[in-house]
Amino acid sequence: MDQIGGRAWVEVMIATTPAAGERVAELLIEAGCGGVVYEDPRLFETAKDQPVELQPTVPSGGNRSFRVGGYLPLHDGWQEKIEWLQAEVDKLRAFLPVGSGEITLRKRQEEDWATAWKAYYQPERVGKFVVTPSWLPPTVESGEILITLDPGMAFGTGNHPTTKLCLELLPELVREGMLVYDVGTGSGILAIAAAKLGARVIAVDLDPVATAVAAENITRNQVQGQVSVRTANLLDGLRDPADLIIANIIADVIIELLPAAANRLKPGGVLLASGIIDQKASQVRAACAAAGFTIRKSQAREDWQAYLAVRDGECNV
């Protein structure tokens, strides 16, 4: 993989399963990838009836397995990172269905990989929302709410089951003028959805890349008057009691968040917690009870769960 002019990268694709996809993505980021892309064969099936210009490109070689990919700079030491990745993926087998875990590599010049992921990001209808990439023309029917998105290097396109769960539940939770905290906002998709339902939103993420992307998407959707963006850890610095806290993150971080969430919600306020893998659902339920929350509703999609947890007393949404 000798570099041939310009900046070169190693494309790393890991064959796995949807259940293990999020953790595999975290490993890629830990290895030094600035972002990840999900290659989901289910999208190719659901897109067959779309106009040809909206259909995703079939992966090279006809590979139709679920894969998670990222890009590493092509410089000394990248081979050791691949070895580390393979070892960590193998360790996941103890508690997640990893699948083959096979890693495939390909050299990419910067101009190739910078936009290659766009082929796999297509319009998605979730509940009353239509999530459309910014570079494709929107097709919205009466009664649907359009979200135009460019996720860049931030999480959240509307394709992942955890995001879909939130988008499905938000219309029954959000009222005009309520205060919403979107913790771990990523691309800003859920903050935008809540704003389009009438909420005032503070969107928070620890990653400054994510908050920059979120701010761009918020402006793109013309809800900047309702949504402010902060770079911070979880609920740090947020003092006003909220009506709703959205936390589409991972189970361990949700558990860490719960005590602070209980203190930042109005009585009867609701926590919408998603990103909970089935294997950790019981831990999250126990932590909710310990923090003074009552789970009023749960919803599942594939191997993921989302909870509506109410703080002390009756639900006010």
Side-chain angles (χ1 to χ4, degrees):
M1 289 191 182
D2 294 331
Q3 184 170 342
I4 309 175
R7 194 175 185 188
W9 302 75
V10 180
E11 180 188 72
V12 185
M13 299 299 298
I14 304 178
T16 183
T17 66
E22 184 174 7
R23 180 56 188 142
V24 170
E26 291 172 353
L27 291 174
L28 283 162
I29 291 171
E30 288 176 36
C33 296
V36 297
V37 60
Y38 293 87
E39 189 175 283
D40 190 341
R42 295 167 298 183
L43 299 180
F44 301 106
E45 297 301 319
T46 58
K48 282 181 177 178
D49 296 330
Q50 295 277 356
V52 64
E53 66 269 24
L54 299 183
Q55 293 180 9
T57 303
V58 177
S60 60
N63 192 311
R64 303 300 291 269
S65 64
F66 183 95
R67 302 196 299 173
V68 185
Y71 299 89
L72 289 172
L74 187 62
H75 53 55
D76 291 345
W78 70 265
Q79 294 97 332
E80 288 78 6
K81 291 183 178 181
I82 299 301
E83 292 172 2
W84 177 86
L85 267 173
Q86 187 68 75
E88 292 299 311
V89 169
D90 290 340
K91 289 178 186 177
L92 290 182
R93 298 183 189 281
F95 56 94
L96 282 175
V98 170
S100 74
E102 179 185 3
I103 297 178
T104 56
L105 307 173
R106 182 166 57 164
K107 178 189 163 187
R108 288 275 198 180
Q109 293 299 123
E110 185 158 320
E111 60 271 19
D112 295 331
W113 71 260
T115 58
W117 60 273
K118 291 184 177 181
Y120 305 104
Y121 176 28
Q122 300 297 313
E124 184 81 24
R125 280 182 163 79
V126 187
K128 66 193 302 181
F129 295 101
V130 179
V131 185
T132 301
S134 61
W135 54 90
L136 292 178
T139 304
V140 184
E141 297 177 2
S142 176
E144 293 182 324
I145 299 173
L146 174 66
I147 298 175
T148 303
L149 210 65
D150 185 343
M153 293 172 66
F155 176 80
T157 64
N159 288 324
H160 196 275
T162 64
T163 308
K164 288 181 178 179
L165 286 168
C166 292
L167 290 172
E168 289 167 349
L169 290 165
L170 278 177
E172 66 184 77
L173 298 175
V174 177
R175 294 197 315 268
E176 189 79 25
M178 74 187 325
L179 176 60
V180 176
Y181 293 153
D182 178 22
V183 181
T185 193
S187 67
I189 181 173
L190 299 178
I192 294 164
K196 291 204 170 192
L197 292 168
R200 296 179 297 116
V201 187
I202 298 177
V204 183
D205 205 294
L206 184 60
D207 182 0
V209 173
T211 51
V213 169
E216 291 174 0
N217 284 319
I218 287 160
T219 300
R220 181 176 284 116
N221 285 273
Q222 301 180 335
V223 291
Q224 62 269 34
Q226 294 168 255
V227 186
S228 61
V229 183
R230 301 186 185 185
T231 302
N233 183 41
L234 301 178
L235 293 168
D236 289 355
L238 300 178
R239 295 289 176 257
D240 293 336
D243 299 282
L244 171 66
I245 295 174
I246 305 168
N248 181 27
I249 35 186
I250 60 174
D252 291 345
V253 180
I254 289 169
I255 291 169
E256 178 187 348
L257 174 72
L258 284 167
N263 291 325
R264 301 298 198 284
L265 281 169
K266 297 176 182 178
V270 176
L271 171 69
L272 170 54
S274 188
I276 304 165
I277 193 81
D278 285 345
Q279 291 90 332
K280 293 195 174 182
S282 61
Q283 297 175 38
V284 175
R285 289 194 297 267
C288 282
F293 284 96
T294 300
I295 295 175
R296 293 296 177 85
K297 183 174 183 178
S298 64
Q299 197 151 309
R301 183 181 276 269
E302 298 176 20
D303 301 302
W304 302 93
Q305 296 187 29
Y307 295 144
L308 300 185
V310 181
R311 178 197 170 228
D312 298 330
E314 294 301 316
C315 178
N316 67 357
V317 292

